[in-house]
Amino acid sequence: MSRWKELPAGLHPEIRQLIVRLRRLKDRGELSTRQLAVKTGYSTRSWERYLSGTSLPPRDAVEAVARVGGDDPARLLVLHEIAAERWAEGDAAAAGTAPGTPPAPEHEPAVRQPYGRSLRVAVTAGAAALVLSVSAVLALAVELAEARAAADAARAGTVAAATDTTVPDPASLLPALYTCRPERTGDRWYAGHSRTRETVVAYGARGPEVIEAQCLMRRTGVSPGNVDGIFGPLTQRAVKRLQDREGLVVDGIIGPDTWQALRGAAPK
C-alpha cells in the first residue's frame, strides 16, 4: 500500500473524492507510478501531478485507470465530471494554476496590460457561462422527456375514459414515484430496489440505486423529497444532512461510508 502525501488543504471535497478513488485503484493493482504510466499511456510525471492533487486528470486518463484497476469506468467518470465542474469554478486554487490556463513562457512579463487581461477573463467567463447554459437546457429537455415516458408507462395498464380535448395531461410531465418498504436483514436495512453497499452515486444519477438511497434516507428521518429515482438538488441536500449528522465527509456523494450509514443507521 502506498504512503500517500496529504492532499492540498484547499482542494474541493468532490475533487478530493475523485483523487482518493484513483489512489485506491492504483494501490489495489499494486502498481508503481511508472507501471501506471505504461498501462494508461500517460507519463509518470503526469500521474504524479494527478495523484497529488496539483492537476486534474483528463477524462481519458480516468477511464484508463478505471479499466486497469478493474473498476466500472462509468461510475468513475461521474465523479470526474463533477470534479471537473468544481475545478472550473476555481475550487482547486491550491493546485497553483487556474483550470485550463497554460503556463506562462519565461519571457512573458510579470505584469500584463490590464486591458488584455480583462478581455481574456471576460471571454473565458462568457464561454463558461454559455457551456453551462447549454448543458442545463439539454439536461432539462432530457429529464422532461424521460419523465413523460415514465408517466405514460405507469398509465399503460389502466383503461382511461375517452376524452375529446387537445390540452396535454399535466401528469405526463411528472416523474414516476416509487414505493418504499424498508426491511431489516441481519444488521442491515434494505428497501427492495438495490442491495449495493459500495456503488458511488452522485448528483445527476438516476436508477434503482438512487431509489434505494431515497427510501433509506426517509427511514432515517432525512427527507430527500419525492422517491423518484432522480438524484437532484433535494436528494443531494438530504445526503449532506445525513453525512453531517453521522460525522462523515460532507460532499453530497453516496459512497461506501454513506451506504453503511444508510444500511445500519437507526431512525432519528
Side-chain angles (χ1 to χ4, degrees):
M1 181 70 69
S2 301
R3 298 184 62 182
W4 295 103
K5 292 183 179 180
E6 194 71 25
L7 290 171
L11 206 61
H12 193 282
E14 291 175 337
I15 301 175
R16 184 183 298 271
Q17 177 88 359
L18 173 65
I19 296 174
V20 169
R21 189 66 175 270
L22 294 176
R23 287 181 171 185
R24 289 176 180 172
L25 289 174
K26 176 181 176 296
D27 290 341
R28 182 191 300 173
E30 299 181 352
L31 300 172
S32 66
T33 307
R34 184 183 299 275
Q35 291 171 326
L36 187 62
V38 172
K39 289 180 177 292
T40 62
Y42 288 81
S43 68
T44 301
R45 182 170 298 179
S46 295
W47 276 115
E48 289 173 352
R49 294 197 306 270
Y50 300 156
L51 297 174
S52 65
T54 59
S55 181
L56 183 70
R59 178 186 177 88
D60 290 344
V62 173
E63 184 174 6
V65 78
R67 297 188 186 282
V68 169
D71 199 0
D72 181 7
R75 302 292 185 185
L76 200 58
L77 288 177
V78 171
L79 289 180
H80 177 266
E81 183 177 355
I82 297 171
E85 292 178 0
R86 298 297 175 263
W87 193 279
E89 292 170 357
D91 289 339
T97 59
T101 303
E106 294 181 358
H107 63 275
E108 186 175 5
V111 179
R112 301 183 179 182
Q113 293 297 326
Y115 175 77
R117 181 176 182 180
S118 299
L119 179 61
R120 188 177 65 258
V121 171
V123 170
T124 301
L130 178 60
V131 170
L132 291 175
S133 298
V134 172
S135 298
V137 171
L138 290 176
L140 179 59
V142 171
E143 186 168 335
L144 286 175
E146 292 183 353
R148 180 186 295 275
D152 289 343
R155 297 194 308 271
T158 303
V159 179
T163 59
D164 184 16
T165 176
T166 58
V167 179
D169 184 357
S172 64
L173 301 178
L174 298 176
L177 301 181
Y178 299 89
T179 301
C180 296
R181 296 188 180 89
E183 295 183 357
R184 190 181 186 95
T185 302
D187 60 346
R188 301 188 184 279
W189 285 88
Y190 297 92
H193 298 281
S194 173
R195 299 186 68 83
T196 183
R197 285 160 39 187
E198 295 183 357
T199 300
V200 175
V201 186
Y203 186 88
R206 59 182 64 231
E209 291 85 0
V210 179
I211 301 171
E212 181 79 3
Q214 289 173 332
C215 286
L216 294 177
M217 278 188 282
R218 280 195 167 189
R219 191 197 68 80
T220 62
V222 179
S223 175
N226 290 331
V227 179
D228 53 10
I230 300 173
F231 199 124
L234 293 179
T235 299
Q236 186 181 56
R237 284 197 290 270
V239 171
K240 289 183 177 180
R241 289 198 302 272
L242 175 69
Q243 290 171 333
D244 181 62
R245 191 180 74 185
E246 298 297 327
L248 304 176
V249 175
V250 181
D251 56 9
I253 299 174
I254 302 175
D257 293 338
T258 306
W259 277 119
Q260 182 176 354
L262 289 170
R263 297 285 188 203
K268 295 186 178 181

